[in-house]
Amino acid sequence: MKFTELGIIEPILKAIADKGYEMPSPIQIEAIPLLIAGRDLLGCAQTGTGKTAAFAIPILQKLYQQRHGKKADKPKALILTPTRELALQIFESFKAYGRYTGLKAASVFGGVSQKRQVAELASGIDVLVATPGRLLDLVNQKLCELTNISILVLDEADRMLDMGFINDMKKIIAKLPSKRQTLLFSATIPKEIAALSSSILRNHATVAVTPVSSTVDSIDQYVYFVDKANKGRLLVDLLNDRKLVSVLIFSKTKHGADKIKKILEQSGKSVKAIHGNKSQNARQGALNDFKSGKIQALVATDIAARGIDIDQLSHVINFDLPNIPETYVHRIGRTGRAGAAGIAISFCDYDEQPYLKDIQKLIKVTPKTVENHPYPMKLSAAQHCSAKRKIAFQKEGKNRY
Ligand code: AMP
């Protein structure tokens, strides 16, 4: 299947060719014709599937065809998304796919001054990408009008729910014209999202791609068993290898992320960290340096890394293993995107072994154990003792020790 077979207009095909995409992804093949035909859509898909282009391309196409040479004014398409990083990424996608259409996109999100955003809204736009809190704020101040919205996208609806945006979302939806096309994307469909979708979608089509546990097929996964105290040394050792050109390192905590950054800096590595305690500017700066190849490594917490989209990511390293197995899948899904091969490395210390078991159960793959490395796990005396006790108790047929 080619992009030219999906009914896409010439100026957008040209922009797709500029991006270097050769083939549409499965969600694009299914969703683009449905959306061009005006259907509402429930999309079960997470980032990494090409879902942004799947909605951005038909939206740009419809607005381009309706425009009849008029200047941009009040927004006609609204995309609600949970985080500022995602808002910026979606905005960049609209800019890229729409570069030959003359349509204007803007993004609004919290954590920064509203001045520039207000000026941009006032100058007239076609597509608005927004996080719910800031948008509601601007609407309440009468700085943004939603009366012309004819297409609404709720992106990562389950995460907006998790982050407590459900009421803001509902308030925003209540302000939109009822005659519109609505798209709802969500990786999972908890009951609140099912209820929301049945109340706002009309005669919708459903498209589901790659459930969370199967996205890891194209990723080579390795595990290093290592004592907690040696994880930093092992990391430095790995980053000495030139093949690790752009490495996203996950830490469970903000404090941990700063500590990892310090260890790497002390051994002369180029590294930055992103987490919730960093300002929006610092986070964006770190992300830009990482994307442009200025720094070798980016250390991130799970929340800060949500949805970050980096084409050239060579490796993901789990410095800590997450206790929720789905988080592992989200983390390593940052590499091996859009079918590219990726490498994921996990450090597993004595206490994290149960987490590894849970992960294996979910993904039904056993990451390869790297045997010959300089810092193999040694059991401490106490752990030895507890391991021995466990075996002894199990021999007696007891499962608690
Ligand atoms: P998304 O799921 O929208 O976050 O997209 C994941 C990544 O895939 C982004 O880096 C896109 O630029 C890229 N991408 C989207 N569609 C295609 C395609 N048809 N071919 C290759 N890469 C794509």
Side-chain angles (χ1 to χ4, degrees):
M1 176 66 84
K2 297 193 186 116
F3 277 108
T4 47
E5 294 169 66
L6 297 178
I8 302 169
I9 52 173
E10 199 48 49
I12 299 178
L13 285 175
K14 201 166 155 212
I16 294 171
D18 285 358
K19 285 286 280 179
Y21 299 166
E22 285 170 6
M23 278 181 329
S25 70
I27 193 166
Q28 292 162 2
I29 293 173
E30 280 196 67
I32 291 175
L34 286 167
L35 295 175
I36 289 177
R39 292 287 298 274
D40 279 8
L41 185 82
L42 176 63
C44 305
Q46 59 185 71
T47 44
T49 53
K51 74 173 155 75
T52 314
F55 64 76
I57 291 169
I59 290 176
L60 286 162
Q61 173 144 341
K62 293 191 93 175
L63 298 186
Y64 181 79
Q65 288 170 332
Q66 289 164 7
R67 184 158 199 193
H68 310 303
K70 278 186 261 147
K71 244 188 94 237
D73 184 18
K74 291 181 214 158
K76 294 170 199 68
L78 171 65
I79 293 86
L80 286 181
T81 191
T83 67
R84 349 180 220 214
E85 281 80 8
L86 275 170
L88 277 170
Q89 251 167 53
I90 296 169
F91 164 69
E92 291 296 336
S93 296
F94 270 97
K95 253 189 10 195
Y97 307 132
R99 63 189 291 198
Y100 301 113
T101 61
L103 293 163
K104 233 180 111 189
S107 57
V108 306
F109 43 81
V112 294
S113 146
Q114 68 174 40
K115 213 166 140 199
R116 188 193 53 78
Q117 299 174 355
V118 171
E120 229 172 323
L121 287 170
S123 72
I125 57 164
D126 297 288
V127 177
L128 179 60
V129 186
T131 55
R134 172 58 59 96
L135 178 64
L136 200 59
D137 218 19
L138 292 171
V139 170
N140 288 340
Q141 295 174 66
K142 306 220 172 342
L143 295 168
C144 179
E145 275 193 67
L146 301 176
T147 45
N148 279 3
I149 297 292
S150 62
I151 309 175
L152 167 70
V153 181
L154 300 177
D155 180 49
E156 309 230 346
D158 49 353
R159 286 189 178 167
M160 289 201 274
L161 175 75
D162 286 347
M163 293 172 76
F165 287 140
I166 189 94
N167 286 330
D168 286 354
M169 275 154 72
K170 286 182 180 163
K171 281 185 199 154
I172 292 167
I173 293 168
K175 293 182 192 293
L176 304 178
S178 58
K179 193 170 169 292
R180 57 162 201 265
Q181 187 178 10
T182 306
L183 288 56
L184 188 153
F185 288 90
S186 203
T188 57
I189 312 286
K191 62 178 189 312
E192 292 92 335
I193 297 300
L196 182 69
S197 69
S198 63
S199 72
I200 62 171
L201 299 178
R202 287 181 200 159
N203 182 28
H204 69 271
T206 303
V207 173
V209 289
T210 47
V212 79
S213 54
S214 67
T215 53
V216 294
D217 290 351
S218 63
I219 302 169
D220 278 333
Q221 299 169 60
Y222 298 94
V223 59
Y224 286 71
F225 289 98
V226 56
D227 288 320
K228 203 180 242 107
N230 278 330
K231 283 185 172 182
R233 288 186 200 98
L234 177 61
L235 182 64
V236 171
D237 209 70
L238 290 179
L239 291 196
N240 284 337
D241 184 340
R242 294 235 182 105
K243 282 202 288 290
L244 278 74
V245 280
S246 60
V247 188
L248 182 58
I249 301 162
F250 280 97
S251 157
K252 242 189 314 211
T253 62
K254 298 175 206 170
H255 175 66
D258 284 333
K259 233 165 92 182
I260 297 167
K261 174 173 166 266
K262 213 159 151 198
I263 294 171
L264 291 178
E265 271 173 349
Q266 278 164 353
S267 56
K269 305 280 174 251
S270 53
V271 57
K272 289 200 169 164
I274 54 170
H275 54 66
N277 289 359
K278 302 261 177 192
S279 71
Q280 171 65 9
N281 277 349
R283 280 155 74 168
Q284 204 52 49
L287 210 54
N288 290 346
D289 285 352
F290 189 55
K291 281 188 179 178
S292 66
K294 236 192 202 161
I295 53 171
Q296 181 188 15
L298 184 69
V299 190
T301 54
D302 290 299
I303 302 251
R306 263 182 190 176
I308 32 180
D309 173 19
I310 303 149
D311 287 341
Q312 303 302 329
L313 194 58
S314 71
H315 293 71
V316 165
I317 296 185
N318 293 307
F319 192 89
D320 307 306
L321 275 181
N323 54 353
I324 300 167
E326 283 80 6
T327 304
Y328 175 86
V329 180
H330 286 302
R331 285 181 176 188
I332 74 164
R334 311 289 102 216
T335 182
R337 303 200 108 189
I343 295 179
I345 293 171
S346 299
F347 294 174
C348 179
D349 66 26
Y350 184 84
D351 296 329
E352 290 172 319
Q353 294 178 97
Y355 302 157
L356 185 65
K357 279 223 176 80
D358 290 345
I359 291 166
Q360 288 169 351
K361 218 161 97 193
L362 173 75
I363 64 176
K364 298 183 182 67
V365 171
T366 306
K368 296 180 207 90
T369 302
V370 179
E371 304 278 3
N372 290 323
H373 70 85
Y375 305 102
M377 185 161 72
K378 298 185 200 78
L379 290 185
S380 70
Q383 286 164 344
H384 248 310
C385 185
S386 108
K388 267 191 189 157
R389 276 181 66 196
K390 183 174 176 181
I391 292 164
F393 272 76
Q394 277 169 347
K395 271 191 188 151
E396 283 175 33
K398 295 181 185 162
N399 48 19
R400 296 206 44 200
Y401 60 103

